[in-house]
Amino acid sequence: MKKGRREAIIGVGATGALGADALSTVLFARAAKSSPRAFEFGTAPRQHVGTMRSVRLGDELTGLDRLLALAAPALIEAAKPAWDGDAPLRVFLSIPSPTVWEPNTHGSVRTEEFLSKLSQQTRLPIDVASSQIVAIGHAGFAIALDRALHAQGPGCVVAGGVDTHHEQFRLAQLLENMRLKSETVHGGFVPGEGAAFLALERTTSEQPAYALVRHVASGLCEEPTFEEPRVAELATLLVRQAAASLKERPVGWMLNDANGERSRSKEVDFLRLRCSDLFPADRSQELRLADEFGDLGAATGAMYTAYAALGMRHGFAPSSNAIITLASAGRERGVIALEAS
């Protein structure tokens, strides 16, 4: 373990389709209380799609404003036990590609504008110059978390993720590409939205932690070919490295981002097969939270880490350790290993 790593999770904040705070959000998911709600496209002919979206936000709220409305309360909740009211706050955040929620931005990530507006809404002194945004989808949180773990200097450090599918053009594109679960598409996903943040600090006896981040890593898959499809090769390597960082094996809990799409399910199935010694069926539980949250995009890693950390704190985790696997739609992959404090 590198000296100075901020591996202790000392604050957690989250919001999703249901729940007023982090604990209620994950408990609603744990109790399987979430369910898709119909959303009607304002096009002709009218179409409906089932989405898991926040009950506290109106359907008319979209784009950057909706992302900020999701992120603000979760950030406030996470930072509250860690921020001393004076020192600057550094935020390492995973968000969707700007072209997803602002199709005319041509891929530019407006970090300063996003974080400045988030600071205004939360009334927290975010150090915009020292904060960072990662915009690569599911695996983005692994990169954001790694940077937060190694942030040097005083002040509060928070890692998080926020995303929403609640955009007509985004849903229409997914529907056209037959990626949304429906009566005719069984290998699709239910779109969701949410935000989660984790306040990180160096391990001390004075500050109790929800959980400890023992390992985080990410990388790019090799380009697949017909002769070498390379299914889950990188994920297998990353998971084995992550498992080596844990005190006990086998790993008692795997949280993966399979969402119903066949490509994701195939990768997870290959990963479980290749790592069957780390996740034996009789001693390890697999959890696919997309069944309850819907697909959370860039917020997936942060929400799943929050879920696992709260499970370890409140006693509903089946194990004292967990591994979270993340796969972006492209070549990016990420893995996080957690351990009870």
Side-chain angles (χ1 to χ4, degrees), residues 138-147 216-218 301 326 333-336:
H138 281 228
F141 180 69
I143 298 174
L145 178 60
D146 186 51
R147 293 174 181 175
V216 58
S218 60
L326 303 167
R333 300 292 183 268
V335 169
I336 300 164

Side-chain angles (χ1 to χ4, degrees), residues 8 47-48 87 114 122 129 193 231 279 283 301 326:
Q47 293 178 293
H48 292 80
F114 189 98
T122 59
E193 66 178 1
V231 179
F279 304 103
R283 299 174 62 187
L326 303 167

Side-chain angles (χ1 to χ4, degrees), residues 19-84:
D21 56 12
L23 185 58
S24 60
T25 296
V26 302
L27 289 181
F28 272 121
R30 183 170 183 262
K33 295 298 184 181
S34 299
S35 62
R37 294 188 291 133
F39 174 67
E40 184 181 86
F41 287 90
T43 57
R46 292 192 176 275
Q47 293 178 293
H48 292 80
V49 63
T51 72
M52 291 186 185
R53 59 192 188 277
S54 175
V55 296
R56 66 180 180 83
L57 300 180
D59 286 349
E60 71 282 356
L61 187 67
T62 59
L64 176 61
D65 291 336
R66 194 173 186 90
L67 288 174
L68 291 169
L70 288 166
L75 177 57
I76 292 171
E77 183 185 10
K80 185 177 180 180
W83 182 54
D84 62 10

Side-chain angles (χ1 to χ4, degrees), residues 10-338:
I10 61 171
V12 178
T15 183
L18 301 175
D21 56 12
L23 185 58
S24 60
T25 296
V26 302
L27 289 181
F28 272 121
R30 183 170 183 262
K33 295 298 184 181
S34 299
S35 62
R37 294 188 291 133
F39 174 67
E40 184 181 86
F41 287 90
T43 57
R46 292 192 176 275
Q47 293 178 293
H48 292 80
V49 63
T51 72
M52 291 186 185
R53 59 192 188 277
S54 175
V55 296
R56 66 180 180 83
L57 300 180
D59 286 349
E60 71 282 356
L61 187 67
T62 59
L64 176 61
D65 291 336
R66 194 173 186 90
L67 288 174
L68 291 169
L70 288 166
L75 177 57
I76 292 171
E77 183 185 10
K80 185 177 180 180
W83 182 54
D84 62 10
D86 184 33
L89 177 68
R90 282 171 287 171
V91 176
F92 296 81
L93 182 61
S94 170
I95 68 170
S97 167
T99 55
V100 167
W101 42 273
E102 288 188 316
N104 296 321
T105 58
H106 304 296
S108 62
V109 181
R110 299 184 302 188
T111 300
E112 184 173 349
E113 178 187 3
F114 189 98
L115 293 175
S116 295
K117 288 185 175 181
L118 185 59
S119 181
Q120 292 170 9
Q121 288 207 13
T122 59
R123 297 185 180 180
L124 291 170
I126 297 175
D127 184 349
V128 175
S130 299
S131 297
Q132 295 183 34
I133 279 180
V134 181
I136 59 169
H138 281 228
F141 180 69
I143 298 174
L145 178 60
D146 186 51
R147 293 174 181 175
L149 287 174
H150 296 94
Q152 299 299 313
C156 180
V157 172
V158 178
V162 60
D163 202 347
T164 178
H165 287 87
H166 186 70
E167 300 286 348
Q168 286 213 19
F169 62 85
R170 186 175 188 182
L171 291 172
Q173 185 179 55
L174 291 168
L175 196 62
E176 182 181 356
N177 293 333
M178 302 184 71
R179 293 186 60 192
L180 296 186
K181 186 176 182 180
S182 67
E183 293 180 352
T184 56
V185 179
H186 303 295
F189 69 86
V190 176
E193 66 178 1
F197 288 86
L198 310 163
L200 302 165
E201 193 46 87
R202 297 174 182 87
T203 308
T204 65
S205 57
E206 295 80 18
Q207 181 72 284
Y210 286 79
L212 303 175
V213 182
R214 289 304 192 190
H215 184 86
V216 58
S218 60
L220 292 175
C221 295
E222 294 286 343
E223 289 284 3
T225 64
F226 181 78
E227 293 79 11
E228 295 183 278
R230 301 186 181 280
V231 179
E233 283 187 357
L234 177 60
T236 300
L237 174 63
L238 294 178
V239 164
R240 289 201 169 277
Q241 291 174 344
S245 71
L246 299 173
K247 294 178 182 177
E248 297 182 2
R249 285 177 295 280
V251 183
W253 209 9
M254 175 202 259
L255 294 83
N256 61 63
D257 61 351
N259 62 4
E261 291 187 285
R262 291 188 178 91
S263 59
R264 289 187 179 277
S265 296
K266 181 179 179 180
E267 178 148 338
V268 170
D269 289 344
F270 270 68
L271 177 62
R272 286 298 300 258
L273 180 63
R274 290 171 176 166
C275 297
S276 57
D277 58 317
L278 299 177
F279 304 103
D282 60 337
R283 299 174 62 187
S284 180
Q285 290 189 21
E286 178 183 354
L287 187 59
R288 300 190 178 191
L289 286 172
D291 293 340
E292 307 305 331
F293 287 116
D295 184 276
L296 295 175
T300 299
M303 185 68 79
Y304 290 15
T305 303
Y307 187 102
L310 286 166
M312 292 175 182
R313 163 67 72 87
H314 294 283
F316 62 83
S319 170
S320 62
N321 59 33
I323 283 182
I324 299 163
T325 65
L326 303 167
S328 292
R331 297 166 55 202
E332 300 87 358
R333 300 292 183 268
V335 169
I336 300 164
L338 300 178

